[in-house]
Amino acid sequence: MFPVEQQAPHRLDREECLRLLAVEDVGRLALTQGRAPAIFPVNYALDGEAVVFRTAEGTKLAHGDRAAAAFEIDGLDREERRGWSVVVTGRLEEITDPETLERVHGLGIRPWADGPRGHWMRLLPGIITGRRVGRAG
Amino acid sequence: MFPVEQQAPHRLDREECLRLLAVEDVGRLALTQGRAPAIFPVNYALDGEAVVFRTAEGTKLAHGDRAAAAFEIDGLDREERRGWSVVVTGRLEEITDPETLERVHGLGIRPWADGPRGHWMRLLPGIITGRRVGRAG
């Protein structure tokens, strides 16, 4: 793979991307802070097509609602020099609707670090893209 | 871990971050495109403290020199629910200086996808941060 489309990388369709998003549970969230990008690893779960994660007051929340964000997951096989990646681009929002909150509480998101995380955020997907590169498995 | 500092995550010092950056060879580059962030997995190598990668004409190059960027690597142990991450924030530049080009050619960066990648880019680090979270190993 990586970094630019070459060697006819296999593009993953939206269904396959969503399947991978449903299986994984850690990804990386990119936000724009001022004019510079920032990246944060997050524990997440999928709620429909939305990427849901928990957070305390902090950087991500400080961005407020509707901030543009990108979320990435990947699977890398260094030995075989191949891998796949899925990127979701969309807008962040805090989940405040009681019904949605109750549902996402059941998603089983367990951050690896303890501590209060009273806020539930979700990335509402706009574009979802994925690709697989390197030698075929 | 993830997403916000809790449970006294262990902060990695710069030396440890650079050691991890020297060992790994795939990371994720975040750029701001317009006002939205984008993420790209990249094969990379470390040249001093600069993150070097190859690219063809494309998104990343279209940003031109001196674009703000963030680069992330991590190591995740899902079973033990712990991991570490290192984030480098800085500015991108294309490497054009012949002496530097000769040096980075020797870094052994081998993108997993074939194809022409005539351009060498580097992220000149400003801030390097790292942390380790989850149960102690």
Side-chain angles (χ1 to χ4, degrees):
Chain A
M1 52 176 106
F2 306 164
V4 176
E5 290 79 351
Q6 300 289 349
Q7 196 199 24
H10 178 63
R11 293 192 179 275
L12 308 179
D13 62 25
R14 189 177 179 101
E15 191 180 358
E16 173 73 356
C17 291
L18 286 167
R19 191 190 65 77
L20 289 163
L21 284 164
V23 170
E24 299 290 317
D25 57 2
V26 184
R28 296 123 201 128
L29 185 71
L31 295 168
T32 299
Q33 299 190 304
R35 293 170 60 186
I39 309 183
F40 309 88
V42 292
N43 293 102
Y44 79 99
L46 206 60
D47 176 43
E49 297 193 350
V51 173
V52 175
F53 59 94
R54 298 168 59 181
T55 186
E57 293 290 348
T59 307
K60 281 185 286 299
L61 273 179
H63 282 267
D65 269 3
R66 315 306 296 167
F71 178 77
E72 190 257 11
I73 60 170
D74 55 45
L76 310 175
D77 185 338
R78 287 178 171 77
E79 206 156 304
E80 297 293 332
R81 298 174 52 74
R82 68 186 174 206
W84 58 265
S85 64
V86 171
V87 175
V88 180
T89 309
R91 297 212 163 259
L92 280 186
E93 67 173 25
E94 182 166 1
I95 301 171
T96 54
D97 168 59
E99 194 176 320
T100 308
L101 272 177
E102 190 179 333
R103 187 176 68 241
V104 298
H105 270 82
L107 291 176
I109 303 173
R110 296 168 58 211
W112 293 355
D114 291 336
R117 285 210 183 67
H119 297 267
W120 293 75
M121 305 288 293
R122 65 179 166 189
L123 176 63
L124 296 171
I127 299 169
I128 301 178
T129 58
R131 62 206 183 100
R132 203 180 286 278
V133 297
R135 287 182 286 185
Chain B
M1 56 173 102
F2 306 165
V4 174
E5 291 81 349
Q6 300 289 350
Q7 197 199 23
H10 178 63
R11 292 192 178 276
L12 308 178
D13 62 25
R14 190 178 179 100
E15 190 179 359
E16 174 73 356
C17 291
L18 287 167
R19 191 191 65 78
L20 290 163
L21 284 163
V23 170
E24 298 292 316
D25 57 2
V26 183
R28 297 126 200 124
L29 185 71
L31 295 169
T32 298
Q33 299 190 303
R35 291 172 58 186
I39 308 184
F40 308 88
V42 293
N43 294 101
Y44 79 98
L46 206 59
D47 177 42
E49 297 193 351
V51 173
V52 175
F53 58 95
R54 298 167 59 180
T55 185
E57 292 290 348
T59 307
K60 280 183 288 301
L61 274 179
H63 282 266
D65 270 1
R66 317 304 298 169
F71 178 77
E72 189 258 11
I73 60 171
D74 55 45
L76 311 176
D77 185 338
R78 286 177 172 77
E79 205 156 305
E80 297 292 332
R81 300 174 53 73
R82 66 186 175 204
W84 58 265
S85 64
V86 172
V87 174
V88 180
T89 309
R91 298 215 161 256
L92 279 185
E93 67 172 23
E94 183 167 1
I95 301 170
T96 53
D97 167 60
E99 194 177 319
T100 308
L101 273 176
E102 191 179 331
R103 187 176 68 240
V104 298
H105 269 83
L107 292 176
I109 303 173
R110 297 167 57 210
W112 293 354
D114 291 335
R117 286 211 182 68
H119 297 267
W120 294 74
M121 305 288 291
R122 64 178 167 189
L123 176 62
L124 296 171
I127 298 168
I128 301 178
T129 57
R131 60 203 185 102
R132 201 180 287 278
V133 296
R135 287 182 286 186

